[in-house]
Amino acid sequence: MTWKSLAIVSLCLAAPALAQVGHTEIAKWQYGKTGAVSLTLDDGSINQFRVAAPIMDSLGLPATFFVITGEIPGSRYHGTFVGRPTQAIIQETATVPTNKDNLFERASAIGFLGLQGTLAFHTRAGSIYDENHDVTKACQVIDDAYAKVRQGAFPPRTEPSAANQNHVTWDEISELAKHGHEFASHSVTHPRLAVLDDANLIYELERSREEILNHLGFKHTFSVECPYGTENQRAVAFALERYQLARNFMPDVFVDDVDRASQRDPTESHKEYVRWQRGPVTATPMNLMKSWVDTTAAHENIWLVLVFHGVDGIGWQPRTSADLKDYFSYIKSKEDRVWVATFQDVAKYMRERTHATVESYKYGNVISVVLQDNLKDVSYDLPLTLKTNVAANWTAVRIRQGDRVANIQVAGGYVHYQALPNAETITITPIEVK
């Protein structure tokens, strides 16, 4: 691992009066920024990779792509029904109406009967159940679907061509990951998780994670987005048992979670952090989108999570490449105040900081700093930004943690630098004095 960014020069204008030499605190955001922005893209439509990714790469902006793993050529796991023979389910529907006890099994199976058009009934029933909380109507939709199945109303489904040019490959994804982008789970098939039974819910979450692990490695198994932005408690709980982070819901007590549909003003929250999700659709005005970035830059506790889907006519609610270039360039212009990072990196920073302690002491011309956190999960490997006050006559310092060394200029009476929790003691020594 290289540590060329171990230390960064603070750009602050003035030091606190009579600041205690050696006093150290953990910056609220990486690099001492005032807010954070994450660019996330859902569904893996081809222009996200062919069009949006090159724009972000040209600006040095990392993103998080939530991909539907079963749609990627070369994937091992695809859509299937996990359970008893579907013919037995079809026969049973002729005499036993769909109810709250069998809804999930039937909704799980309906899309995998080898017939064209049945999956739409799963999606419709899932929407009614998840968003309208109407179990009776959801059951009726599933009953209608199986009645049509028994009547032979659906033609057999034909297998799609293996040579599909509208999907990114795992090799392409692997190359993009080397650019600093995160790839995360959006399930195997993008179902309505709220109406899947346990076996099929687990399949969608675990097999998608396994696919990502096998193709990209452990680092990319951190995050998940349950399809349709569901906030169904059961589905999200299952997801959080298998992933460390879900965009659907962040249960951490120090976070105020403001979802895409909410009209709450994030600046009114008094929690340590606000995760503020916004979803620009085709008609969202550019000035409104830019105002979200301005709000984030003007306050100290906001993490703006932007959710994009289609690009240049492909995918749901697409934005044009010209729009994306304009918007991403605007975000880049605010990097002096906002930290642009992947979805997992911002969450890691927040959690590591919240679970960390820092102690410092000065002996002679050496300031020693001990940084620790109580997180046992090895996924949490992000360095934190520390701010340490130094002596008034120190103009440049050497910061060392183990074999990681950086020489930096002092600005404003203190230095910002990065350090790993639970690693070696950090030492700060003067190399120039006035």
Side-chain angles (χ1 to χ4, degrees), residues 13-278:
L13 298 178
L18 303 177
Q20 179 182 355
V21 173
H23 173 76
T24 300
E25 59 188 49
I26 307 170
K28 192 154 195 168
W29 298 110
Q30 195 75 287
Y31 312 118
K33 302 296 178 72
T34 58
V37 175
S38 289
L39 307 173
T40 71
L41 300 94
D42 287 8
D43 303 341
S45 58
I46 193 64
N47 280 350
Q48 292 180 2
F49 310 104
R50 300 283 193 269
V51 178
I55 295 172
M56 292 183 287
D57 286 345
S58 71
L59 295 168
L61 300 178
T64 297
F65 297 87
F66 290 98
V67 294
I68 305 168
T69 56
E71 294 184 352
I72 302 172
S75 289
R76 177 181 177 184
Y77 300 106
H78 303 278
T80 191
F81 172 67
V82 180
R84 59 190 175 128
T86 55
Q87 194 59 42
I89 298 173
I90 295 170
Q91 291 173 357
E92 183 183 84
T93 63
T95 57
V96 180
T98 303
N99 56 56
K100 64 180 181 61
D101 297 320
N102 58 31
L103 170 63
F104 291 174
E105 180 189 48
R106 293 181 181 185
S108 298
I110 190 64
F112 300 103
L113 305 180
L115 302 172
Q116 293 183 39
T118 57
L119 184 59
F121 288 84
H122 159 87
T123 304
R124 192 185 314 157
S127 174
I128 292 168
Y129 179 90
D130 194 10
E131 297 174 15
N132 300 336
H133 310 292
D134 190 334
V135 178
T136 301
K137 190 173 181 180
C139 289
Q140 184 60 57
V141 169
I142 294 299
D143 272 340
D144 291 346
Y146 279 100
K148 292 178 182 294
V149 169
R150 296 194 306 271
Q151 294 162 9
F154 300 105
R157 183 169 56 204
T158 57
E159 292 299 320
S161 170
N164 191 332
Q165 300 302 314
N166 290 323
H167 289 105
V168 70
T169 67
W170 282 112
D171 286 344
E172 290 175 294
I173 288 174
S174 182
E175 284 301 312
L176 286 169
K178 294 176 184 177
H179 298 181
H181 301 299
E182 175 189 9
F183 288 85
S185 172
H186 205 27
S187 77
V188 175
T189 68
H190 201 273
R192 284 284 183 172
L193 296 181
V195 291
L196 295 186
D197 60 20
D198 287 1
N200 287 280
L201 180 51
I202 290 169
Y203 176 87
E204 287 284 342
L205 295 168
E206 290 189 354
R207 296 292 82 80
S208 180
R209 184 185 186 280
E210 182 180 340
E211 199 80 70
I212 292 171
L213 176 64
N214 290 340
H215 286 279
L216 301 177
F218 178 71
K219 178 178 175 61
H220 294 274
T221 63
F222 192 84
S223 309
V224 65
E225 164 65 4
C226 299
Y228 300 99
T230 182
E231 295 182 6
N232 176 266
Q233 291 185 0
R234 172 175 158 269
V236 175
F238 270 57
L240 289 174
E241 288 173 0
R242 292 158 177 84
Y243 298 84
Q244 289 92 333
L245 180 66
R247 206 184 62 201
N248 309 75
F249 176 66
M250 196 168 180
D252 307 62
V253 296
F254 55 87
V255 177
D256 193 351
D257 216 9
V258 182
D259 66 25
R260 280 180 279 166
S262 176
Q263 297 303 311
R264 284 199 295 133
D265 183 349
T267 67
E268 295 178 354
S269 175
H270 298 292
K271 285 206 172 184
E272 185 71 8
Y273 291 106
V274 181
R275 189 176 72 158
W276 186 32
Q277 293 194 55
R278 298 289 88 181

Side-chain angles (χ1 to χ4, degrees), residues 335-381:
E335 272 197 315
D336 61 325
R337 295 186 63 80
V338 299
W339 174 39
V340 183
T342 62
F343 187 66
Q344 72 163 271
D345 277 359
V346 177
K348 283 181 178 180
Y349 189 93
M350 292 159 56
R351 287 173 174 169
E352 288 182 32
R353 175 180 178 267
T354 304
H355 289 85
T357 59
V358 62
E359 297 179 352
S360 59
Y361 54 93
K362 183 176 182 293
Y363 184 78
N365 272 347
V366 179
I367 298 172
S368 297
V369 180
V370 178
L371 176 65
Q372 296 179 313
D373 69 40
N374 59 7
L375 295 170
K376 305 303 181 184
D377 188 335
V378 296
S379 300
Y380 293 93
D381 56 358

